[in-house]
């Protein structure tokens, strides 16, 4: 399976990555190889195996609905690139 | 001229009534509180943090699904919906995609009304809130408050079964009533606990195929939903009539201008690249939990209305008023059970006039009424038995509200018991006839209306305590003799 240049640019755009032309061709090659490796798995007969979205075998491990306030929200705010008082601050978003 | 019909499906987000967020222990009570006062490493997406599912959110979501007659899927899967927006710190929203926890339900709009199909209900987390300025103060950036981020929501997607703005309104009202009844959501629209998007298309009446639909966002009241849908219908009909084509797009309702307008469509905005969230195991609908929830399911409003009209003889209107709120309906039924047979209508009257007026005036929920339902039932009993006039019942009710006392006690305390004692009544009637000879003569001469002033005279003499029905009989007797 071959990943086209257009595929790479589209994926990069969705991931908010700015790639040079060099990178586009390099990553295109790498992505193609990854997909080829995955395609080998496709050769296996899985007709008797149910589809799964999880490999750990774990199911619901819920917690009780009891508030556990985090004690150090200041650190969370300080951890952001920018803050404004009690807010996180980001570049201006319109709409 | 071609006649058109609108085809509408609604997507409604409701906040589940939990104390904590969907995947962390932060409180859900952050509305109107200090920004970012309900945040932790999980809901701010700090590296290394992991989500842990809130059991109560699952329970409430299941309750909602059962009340909407949905099938619960034995296994459902949380998926990541990927997009970049600053109100979403992980750059993905945890939602459910191809394996939602429930599907194939329905909701009846009102007694005998139409049924709207429910396509699916899924669980997901809410995003945070963005501010672009602080009041008048302009900011050189945007501000993010994550108190809402991670709050548990269910998204309820209807089938495209709705045909008018009024039906959309009725659907939302019925949905809100049911969700509140089973305690799944408070549905407080002002706090953003219930939000609605509408998919609207038009087609010539009788056509089978659906037209191209537009999704309308930003509908934050039932009235907005109805107005926006009606407006969008006319807009699309105008487009089609003028030979144009409706474009599939997202439109924003501008309530101030009363119109929808196109949102600048962002390229790739809808390529969410959903995939199963590896941080969360599949959600299995535990059989014992489901059995318990089914057993605990209360009688839903529509069924309750039908029973109250059939069993207790309430009018459809009374039943509607009383069942709109589950606590009020519970109060009514406890009161009616304490009242003698046949007094249910009187209980309903006292409730919907005296009690509701006071609850509204004092902004109290029915559960906090300073009156025991049994006492209200006994008050109705006193009216039906003729011990209290309806005016007397109002007075006693007012005292009950202030003192929380038993009405039987209050009647004797206040000396309000209606006098039905023959001797006393006859004496008042004799005096009334004697001092109103003209009225007495008119009545005797066949002018029935003349009895009013005689009854009035007796009531005055008795200080309002004479039983009016008994008095009328005695007056007729007196003038004939
Ligand atoms: Zn949190």
């Amino acid at each position: 399976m071959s990943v086209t240049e257009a595929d790479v640019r589209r994926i990069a755009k969705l991931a908010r990555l700015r790639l040079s032309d060099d990178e586009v061709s390099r990553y295109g090659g790498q992505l193609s190889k990854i997909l080829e490796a995955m395609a080998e798995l496709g050769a296996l007969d899985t007709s008797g195996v149910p589809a799964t979205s999880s490999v750990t075998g774990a199911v619901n491990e819920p917690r009780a609905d009891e508030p556990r306030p985090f004690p150090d929200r200041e650190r969370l705010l300080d951890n952001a690139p920018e803050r404004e008082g009690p807010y996180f601050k980001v570049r201006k978003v319109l709409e | 001229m071609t006649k058109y019909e609108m085809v509408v499906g609604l997507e409604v987000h409701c906040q589940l009534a939990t104390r904590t967020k969907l995947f962390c222990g932060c409180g859900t009570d952050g509305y109107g509180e200090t920004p970012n006062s309900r945040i932790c490493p999980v809901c701010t997406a700090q590296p290394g943090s992991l989500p842990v599912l809130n059991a109560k959110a699952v329970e409430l979501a299941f309750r909602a699904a059962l009340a909407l007659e949905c099938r619960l899927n034995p296994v459902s899967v949380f998926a990541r919906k990927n997009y970049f927006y600053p109100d979403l710190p992980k750059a993905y929203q945890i939602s459910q995609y191809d394996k939602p926890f429930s599907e194939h339900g329905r909701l009846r709009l009102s007694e005998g009304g139409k049924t709207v199909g429910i396509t699916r209900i899924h669980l997901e987390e809410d995003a945070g809130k963005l501010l672009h300025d602080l009041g008048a103060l302009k900011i050189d950036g945007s501000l993010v408050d994550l108190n809402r981020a991670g709050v548990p929501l269910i998204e309820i997607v209807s089938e495209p079964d709705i045909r008018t703005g009024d039906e959309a309104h009725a659907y939302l009202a019925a949905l809100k009533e049911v969700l509140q009844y089973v305690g799944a959501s408070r549905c407080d629209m002002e706090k953003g606990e219930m939000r609605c998007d509408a998919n609207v298309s038009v087609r010539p009446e009788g056509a089978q195929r659906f037209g191209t639909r537009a999704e309308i966002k930003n509908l934050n009241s039932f009235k907005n939903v109805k107005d926006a849908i009606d407006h969008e219908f006319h807009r699309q009909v105008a487009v089609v009539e003028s030979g144009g084509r409706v474009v599939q797009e997202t439109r924003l309702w501008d309530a101030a201008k009363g119109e929808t307008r196109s949102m600048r469509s962002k390229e790739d905005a809808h390529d969410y690249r959903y995939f199963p969230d590896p941080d969360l195991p599949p959600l299995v609908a535990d059989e014992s939990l489901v059995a318990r929830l089914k057993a605990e399911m209360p009688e839903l409003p529509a069924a309750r209305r039908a029973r109250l009209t059939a069993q207790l003889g309430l009018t459809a209107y009374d039943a509607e008023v009383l069942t709109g709120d589950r606590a009020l309906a519970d109060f009514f039924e406890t009161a009616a059970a304490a009242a003698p047979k046949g007094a249910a209508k009187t209980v309903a009257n006292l409730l919907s006039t005296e009690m509701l007026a006071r609850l509204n005036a004092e902004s109290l929920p029915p559960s906090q009424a300073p009156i025991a339902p049994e006492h209200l039932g006994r008050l109705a009993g006193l009216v039906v038995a003729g011990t209290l006039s309806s005016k007397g019942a109002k007075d006693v009710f007012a005292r009950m509200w202030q003192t929380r006392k038993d009405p039987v006690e209050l009647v004797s305390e206040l000396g309000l018991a209606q006098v039905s004692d023959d001797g006393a009544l006859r004496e008042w009637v004799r005096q009334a006839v004697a001092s109103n000879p003209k009225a007495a003569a008119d009545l005797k001469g066949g002018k029935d209306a003349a009895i009013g002033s005689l009854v009035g005279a007796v009531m005055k003499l008795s200080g309002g305590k004479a039983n009016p029905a008994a008095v009328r009989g005695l007056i007729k007797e007196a003038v004939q003799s």
Side-chain angles (χ1 to χ4, degrees):
Chain A
M1 185 176 289
S2 175
V3 175
T4 67
E5 209 169 273
D7 290 335
V8 177
R9 290 191 193 282
R10 182 176 152 73
I11 293 164
K13 191 174 177 194
L14 285 169
R16 300 293 191 274
L17 294 172
R18 197 175 293 134
L19 301 184
S20 66
D21 290 350
D22 262 8
E23 287 169 322
V24 168
S25 70
R26 184 163 13 123
Y27 293 141
Q30 290 179 0
L31 285 170
S32 294
K33 285 214 172 74
I34 292 168
L35 291 179
E36 276 160 28
M38 296 304 290
E40 280 181 33
L41 293 176
L44 292 173
D45 178 14
T46 56
S47 54
V49 184
T52 181
S53 60
S54 166
V55 292
T56 62
V59 291
N60 330 350
E61 289 164 32
R63 70 186 159 81
D65 185 28
E66 316 235 324
R68 282 175 49 197
F70 183 69
D72 203 355
R73 68 184 196 103
E74 284 300 317
R75 256 180 77 206
L76 295 173
L77 284 158
D78 285 338
N79 210 23
E82 253 193 294
R83 62 180 282 188
E84 173 92 37
Y87 292 98
F88 295 102
K89 189 174 170 189
V90 296
R91 271 188 297 166
K92 195 88 179 167
V93 192
L94 289 174
E95 204 176 51
Chain B
M1 220 181 85
T2 322
K3 283 195 92 178
Y4 292 89
E5 71 170 356
M6 68 162 89
V7 175
V8 175
L10 296 178
E11 294 172 7
V12 181
H13 286 89
C14 293
Q15 180 177 331
L16 294 169
T18 58
R19 298 175 67 202
T20 66
K21 293 185 179 179
L22 188 51
F23 298 115
C24 62
C26 293
T28 51
D29 54 351
Y31 180 84
E33 299 292 328
T34 307
N36 293 307
S37 55
R38 309 289 192 279
I39 58 172
C40 74
V42 175
C43 55
T44 56
Q46 303 299 316
S49 63
L50 282 171
V52 184
L53 184 60
N54 181 342
K56 184 73 176 181
V58 173
E59 186 176 321
L60 296 179
F62 281 16
R63 259 197 241 170
L66 291 173
L68 295 169
E69 299 179 56
C70 284
R71 208 168 67 198
L72 288 174
N73 287 331
V75 179
S76 63
V77 172
F78 288 102
R80 293 185 180 180
K81 179 181 182 178
N82 299 280
Y83 63 94
F84 289 105
Y85 207 63
D87 62 5
L88 195 70
K90 295 192 292 294
Y92 61 84
Q93 178 192 25
I94 304 178
S95 180
Q96 296 189 306
Y97 183 52
D98 56 344
K99 295 190 178 95
F101 76 90
S102 75
E103 294 170 277
H104 309 301
R106 59 189 177 153
L107 177 62
R108 184 115 69 86
L109 296 197
S110 59
E111 221 24 61
K114 85 183 268 175
T115 296
V116 172
I118 308 281
T119 313
R120 57 182 274 156
I121 308 179
H122 65 254
L123 261 166
E124 65 184 27
E125 57 177 349
D126 206 349
K129 201 173 89 181
L130 282 180
L131 275 93
H132 305 295
D133 38 49
L134 285 175
L137 182 64
K138 297 281 177 230
I139 306 285
D140 60 341
S142 293
L143 303 179
V144 189
D145 173 8
L146 296 179
N147 278 355
R148 283 199 68 88
V151 162
L153 304 176
I154 43 175
E155 178 175 343
I156 302 157
V157 182
S158 87
E159 292 286 306
D161 289 343
I162 294 163
R163 294 288 173 272
T164 66
D166 286 326
E167 278 181 15
H169 191 289
Y171 170 81
L172 292 170
L175 189 62
K176 178 177 173 181
E177 190 180 63
V178 166
L179 294 177
Q180 288 179 336
Y181 242 70
V182 300
S185 174
R186 285 177 295 266
C187 298
D188 187 338
M189 290 189 101
E190 280 179 20
K191 292 187 183 172
E193 292 180 354
M194 185 178 192
R195 310 194 290 265
C196 180
D197 300 333
N199 289 306
V200 182
S201 65
V202 300
R203 64 180 175 188
E205 230 168 56
Q208 291 299 306
R209 276 189 50 204
F210 292 134
T212 305
R213 63 175 203 218
E215 184 178 9
I216 309 172
K217 292 201 174 278
N218 201 26
L219 304 173
N220 48 18
S221 75
F222 290 3
K223 186 174 181 303
N224 272 350
V225 175
K226 180 183 168 338
D227 292 349
I229 288 173
D230 286 336
H231 174 273
E232 179 63 12
F233 171 68
H234 293 298
R235 187 192 70 84
Q236 291 187 15
V237 168
V239 169
V240 175
E241 286 278 277
S242 63
R245 270 181 43 221
V246 174
V247 189
Q248 181 161 352
E249 61 179 349
T250 303
R251 299 180 70 87
L252 212 61
W253 170 245
D254 186 332
K257 289 193 181 138
E259 60 183 36
T260 62
R261 59 184 149 78
S262 184
M263 282 171 78
R264 284 172 299 134
S265 64
K266 281 172 289 176
E267 217 184 325
D268 301 319
H270 292 296
D271 193 345
Y272 293 127
R273 293 150 293 142
Y274 285 96
F275 66 90
D277 191 327
D279 288 343
L280 288 157
L283 172 59
V284 173
D286 182 70
E287 275 174 44
S288 61
L289 170 69
V290 175
R292 173 168 70 81
L293 294 177
K294 280 184 179 162
E296 287 171 1
M297 189 58 54
E299 184 183 28
L300 294 177
R304 197 167 200 178
R305 275 195 281 279
R307 183 172 56 79
L308 291 183
T309 46
Q311 272 182 12
L312 297 177
L314 294 192
T315 61
Y317 176 78
D318 279 342
E320 182 91 32
V321 170
L322 294 175
T323 53
D325 180 283
R326 186 176 163 189
L328 186 69
D330 289 345
F331 192 102
F332 167 73
E333 292 214 52
T334 313
K341 259 198 161 31
K345 175 73 191 160
T346 307
V347 174
N349 284 344
L350 287 165
L351 245 185
S352 57
T353 54
E354 301 305 312
M355 183 151 137
L356 274 185
R358 284 179 174 79
L359 288 175
N360 288 338
E362 298 177 26
S363 302
L364 284 178
S367 58
Q368 282 176 34
I371 279 188
E374 292 80 3
H375 286 175
L376 184 70
R378 241 170 277 165
L379 178 64
L382 292 170
V383 175
V384 172
T387 312
L388 273 179
S389 63
S390 55
K391 165 77 171 66
K394 273 180 200 283
D395 294 343
V396 173
F397 189 93
R399 291 301 293 260
M400 286 164 71
W401 193 267
Q402 291 162 2
T403 63
R404 295 172 185 260
K405 281 190 182 165
D406 187 314
V408 177
E409 211 177 303
L410 284 169
V411 164
S412 56
E413 209 174 274
L414 300 172
L416 277 171
Q418 228 169 213
V419 177
S420 302
D421 169 64
D422 216 44
L425 293 181
R426 279 181 195 280
E427 177 52 26
W428 286 324
V429 168
R430 194 193 57 75
Q431 290 181 32
V433 169
S435 52
N436 295 277
K438 179 163 187 315
D442 285 350
L443 180 61
K444 192 173 183 183
K447 275 178 75 182
D448 289 346
I451 199 168
S453 58
L454 292 168
V455 173
V458 172
M459 296 313 283
K460 203 169 170 189
L461 287 166
S462 71
K465 283 191 270 180
N467 178 337
V471 168
R472 296 177 93 86
L474 290 176
I475 289 174
K476 283 182 191 155
E477 218 180 283
V479 298
Q480 297 309 330
S481 61

